[in-house]
Amino acid sequence: MTSRGAGTAFSRKNYRLSTEPEKSKVTGIVNSRLLNDYLHRVFTSADGNQPAAAYRKHLTFQNLQEHLERLLAEENGSEESRDQVAEGRLGPSTVVLDHTSGFEGLLLVDDDLLGVIGHSNFGSIRATTCVYKGKWIYEVLISSQGLMQIGWCTLNCRFNQEEGVGDTPDSYAYDGNRVRKWNVTTTNYGKSWAAGDIVSCLIDLDEGTIAFCLNGISLGTAFDNITRGAGMAYFPAISLSFKESVAFNFGSRPLRYPVEGYRPLQDPPVADLVKARKLLGYLKNVIHIGIDVTEGKLVEKDTSMWQLQGEPTMLITLAHIFNYFSPLMCKVYLVEDVLMTFLLSILERGGAVESHPLIQQLLDLMWLLMEEYEVHECLKQLLMSLLRAYRFSPIIPDLGLQIHYLRLTIAVLKHEKSRKYLLSNVLFDVLRSVVFFYIKSPLRVEEAGLQELIPTTWWPNRFTKEGKESKEVKEESAEERLRRRAYERGCQRLKKRIEVVEGLQVQILKLLLNNKDRGGGEASRYIFLNKFRKFLQENASNRGNLTVLCPPEYMVCFLHRLIAALRFFWDGHKAKTPAALSSEEAYVPPQLFYNGKVDYFDLQRLGGLLSHLKKTLKDDLAAKANILIDPAELQAVTMDDLDEDEESATSAAQSQRPSAALAIGGALARPAWLSSPTLGRANQFLSTAAVSLMNPRRPLGTLEKIKVLTLRVEQRTREDIEGTHGNEGLLLGRPPEEPDQPITENSLLEVLDGIVMMYNLSVHQQLGKMVGVSDDVNEYAMALKDTEEKISRCPKRRRDIHEELLKSQKVFSEKLNHLSRRLAWINVTIYSKEKMQDIYWLLRVCIRTIEHGDRTGSLFAFMPEFYLSVAMNSYSALKNYFSPVNSMEELPGYEETLMRLAAILAKHFADSRIVGTDIRDSLMQALASYVCYPHSLRAVERIPEEQRISMMKNLLAPYEQRPWAQTNWILVRLWRGCGFGYRYTRLPHLLKTKPEDASLPSLQKPCPSTLLQRHMADLLRSDRDLAPSFLNSVLNQLNWAFSEFIGMIQEIQQAAERLERNFVDSRQLKVCATCFDLSVSLLRVLEMTVTLAPEIFLDWNRPSSELLLRRLAQLLNQVLNRVTAERNLFDRVVNLRLPGLESVDHYPILVAVTGILVRLLVDTDVQGTERATAVLLADPCFQLRSIQYLLGHAEPSALAAAAPATDKRHFSLHTYTEYISAEELAKVEKMLNHLSEESKQAAATTLPTSEEDLCPICYAHPISAIFRPCSHKSCKACINQHLMNNKDCFFCKATITGVDDFTKPASS
């Protein structure tokens, strides 16, 4: 048995089967004549003709090996000539990428040196072999559809970070991203490529032409008359930008789309191929031919039901075949060309995978007759070939190719021993196996056959993001209705086909989640759990290598299939255990977050770092959950230790990583196959000898530290997860608040936790990204409608315009036909009703998990932040991404879910147990968005009254020491629609400009909440400390925001007037507009407070009312004076109409101020009016002309000065009749008349005050207060305002213990 060449250690099984002389005796059931006939039938010669029985050599198991070797040696003579080096090619026979010298820039190359990922601006690399004569082909598997130039170059081509293949004279490239060809200059060529396509690159050096094919379809000749002759040889080459990735096939695997007359750069292993096909033929013969021992004859057997049945004759025959077949099955070319093709042919007969047990029998044979290392390699190569075939198959109407490969994957994974090996060593370690759950979206719908599947196209009218059709759209016509229904029928046909593929993908996951196959080691589910956790860890850590990260589009599909499989097992467990919860009531119990049984890597918890929580909450853990923290563990982790760990891990990583050594120019010991003679060159090539499209591994560096920490988790067994008698497994440490009832199998809880984490990692981001296609459809539909209207209005005499419009109409129609079919695909695969229900189910899981966690009190801090993020994001996705195709309101229990989420937002946005600023901001923004939409605002109003009042109290907390802009915005939204002139959606001066995205919360129609306003009024009235502290902080922030705004517009005005610089920094403009918007919103909150609880300012029995009123009057006068002065700074900047300052205008700020003044001076009782009037007029900044400005009454002097500029219009509230009611205008008139009268009287009665008697702080009011104990003096307004923030004296810094009234003695 020396033919295997592997030494005696590897030929143990075969040696025993084939050389023991007793073998023929063991097979005593079969006589020698029958055995001879059987062996001759199985081992036929190459021509298939069997010599007559008389001339045949008598075959037994003793001489079978010699006979088999002679059969396999036939034709080898003719094959040897084929193995000679082909003329026209130079370089190694095994063609790979030249990672030692043939590159430019930074690139990541695979272990097999065939896959490459761009790691710099525009890196280039060529192959190790070149051609100078003949016709040659290689294939490129496109893994990402970004900027790449693929083709051929010569050795003399010099590339850099800006110029790559096709940008130099003797290089030629095709670029499917920009749909162009490149050879110094560029022209349009070919079609756009997408991830999952295969580009074939063909060069004909006899004719001097270069051509390209996309998925086997020729794109035509790209270049002719290419340079040939002495010294001209062409290398395959590619240039690709950052993060783009491809894999090359120079011939190491069978070409997917061979072209007649063209040879692959690497010759196929012809001799091995012939041998393998012969041996496969013999194997098929064994399967087809049976021995009827009783009749003493050979019989044909039904191959589909073939079984080994323990027949020694058959087994020994198979052992001889596998003796030669096994080593061949370790080679990727032969596995793909011979084995995979054979296995696929078994399934081609149709029917369920279960109806083809032959594949299971063959896998049994492989494990029985092949060495373990051979089975391992063979299965690994088979799965890699299947994954590659699935990923790079073109989309055809019935998705037949994808179905075909998935069925074989299922058949292989049905075999228990194979499944466990692949799960343990291949699926998540070597392969990016998530690809099996992805259904790629066709970029070119005509090639995918969508035109036949959806012959009639249709596109929806404009919809609002609430899921309702907008009111302006007219009723659809009968013709439109017919088109829509035909389109929907086409979508249904497509959906049925895609559901077949999705069903097979779920079947794969059901096999991986099988927990009943405990024979021979751990059940599949527990192997899967540990691998799945590692997969999540690699994707959760953004420090990971590019190649490890799972693309978001794969993650979306994986999430949906995993939910389907999880719910199948969950409800299956419920059927067996009636006391358990159904999947509709699923949640993750809180003990998973603190008992250490599930690894959350370094993900942030609600209460901060885990190490910090273990220290601060160790007593709570012991009391509530009976969990004791090891003191040694507490000592080990401090913040300093963590930092040192990170640094040491980083330095360790740098010592291993070539890029780090290259960056500092140091020498580096690397494997021989990675050695580079040009280490000193700039822009050195980065080869991590690592991970690629097909071989992702754990990235080096920090994650290695994590791995050490989580090794215990990776080695968990079934008992660790599910628990045994007296051991609760994952559910260790149940808090008293948690009900003592079974939920489901513990392992399923961990899968559920992983699903929530997956949604947070990248699924939500991808759902938002794919909405772009729907937006494109809407934009093109509007453009088409606009064009058709122009055609109908076009005068008949202008035929030139008419023709151009018809061309535009045709372009828009074609684009819409294409996009509507693509949208149908996306709606079925991403936004279908079933997918929406999955996301809704996930939202409810998160809500229940948060509610259960909240009940545990302080232990709630252990919950990972992503649970709250997913609750908010999944609701946002349901509301914004899935409509208008599916409406959220149709989901079961929608109203209740909305209310429960509202309760979570209302309670936790100010929860002291949550410390992360990002998650607190997210909660605040989610609540702010919630109160913008009528439906969700009503949900907030339905939460229990106690929670509503608590929420309002948190919103009214002082603005200092916390991010206040969002809470202020929430209060404004609750008021919008009730304030003075505050019923607008968009500002009046912006109506003619292009509207922004109508889904923005700020552009929703006003929907005030009188209920929450009432709570606010009650709180401000009843809590004597709350009102002054809240209003003082609002007035402080208004003072700051408006002062900042004025300072900025001064800078903007100066910059605009400079001759040498006529532009302003856009960031400065944005900050300026933000300060203006903040000022307006703060004024509106003050208006809201004055309206709901005027006594806070006007009831002077309250200790700080007078002071608050004086401060308010002071600020209102400042705002009015700045904005209303003639030809002032504000006017000039508004008239510049700078981009970014669109929201800055007179109207929003002046109506807000007017609203406050009207409420104080008109809509109150006589005493209140008198007090407000006195305070306003007493303020030294008060100017009556500011009030007159509101109604367009300019001063006579100003009118005279402005007389020549007749086109300048003055601001007046009278011009905004659509926004301000007649009643409101009448109140402003009344206020103006009142103030005119009062100011005249005040002017007549005011006595001049000497300078000595004025307050030394403000010089505006007379001295009226004396401080204890230091006896310094000021006016009451100054000292009261000062004491709200500080207790030290202005002058001597002594602590003030009291303030007394001061009256100047009459004698002086």
Side-chain angles (χ1 to χ4, degrees), residues 967-1069:
T967 52
N968 194 75
W969 163 247
I970 294 169
L971 292 172
V972 168
R973 281 306 308 194
L974 299 177
W975 177 243
R976 192 170 185 166
C978 296
F980 182 91
Y982 202 36
R983 291 170 290 280
Y984 56 82
T985 303
R986 297 188 75 215
L987 288 166
H989 69 287
L990 293 179
L991 284 180
K992 290 177 184 173
T993 61
K994 186 184 174 189
E996 301 164 70
D997 183 359
S999 67
L1000 289 176
S1002 56
L1003 293 178
Q1004 300 311 305
K1005 290 180 180 173
C1007 52
S1009 170
T1010 50
L1011 175 66
L1012 296 176
Q1013 286 175 21
R1014 196 162 65 243
H1015 289 324
M1016 176 176 169
D1018 293 343
L1019 282 166
L1020 289 172
R1021 288 194 192 100
S1022 60
D1023 192 331
R1024 294 247 161 179
D1025 295 329
L1026 176 70
S1029 60
F1030 167 66
L1031 285 166
N1032 185 51
S1033 67
V1034 172
L1035 291 165
N1036 285 344
Q1037 300 302 348
L1038 175 60
N1039 188 24
W1040 168 82
F1042 192 71
S1043 303
E1044 284 290 310
F1045 168 69
I1046 293 298
M1048 283 187 178
I1049 61 172
Q1050 284 173 340
E1051 291 176 21
I1052 290 166
Q1053 171 66 15
Q1054 287 164 7
E1057 285 178 347
R1058 274 187 225 137
L1059 293 173
E1060 72 277 8
R1061 183 184 169 211
N1062 57 0
F1063 65 91
V1064 184
D1065 183 12
S1066 59
R1067 283 173 300 178
Q1068 189 180 2
L1069 293 174

Side-chain angles (χ1 to χ4, degrees), residues 232-249:
M232 294 303 293
Y234 288 91
F235 292 83
I238 184 173
S239 298
L240 66 177
S241 52
F242 185 62
K243 285 190 179 181
E244 303 304 334
S245 59
V246 297
F248 285 84
N249 181 11

Side-chain angles (χ1 to χ4, degrees), residues 153 171 185 247 522 781 904 976 1043 1102 1115 1180 1203 1217 1238 1270 1285:
C153 74
S171 63
T185 58
E522 205 62 75
I904 285 170
R976 192 170 185 166
S1043 303
R1102 299 170 75 99
L1115 281 169
T1217 49
E1238 292 294 323
C1270 61
N1285 302 304

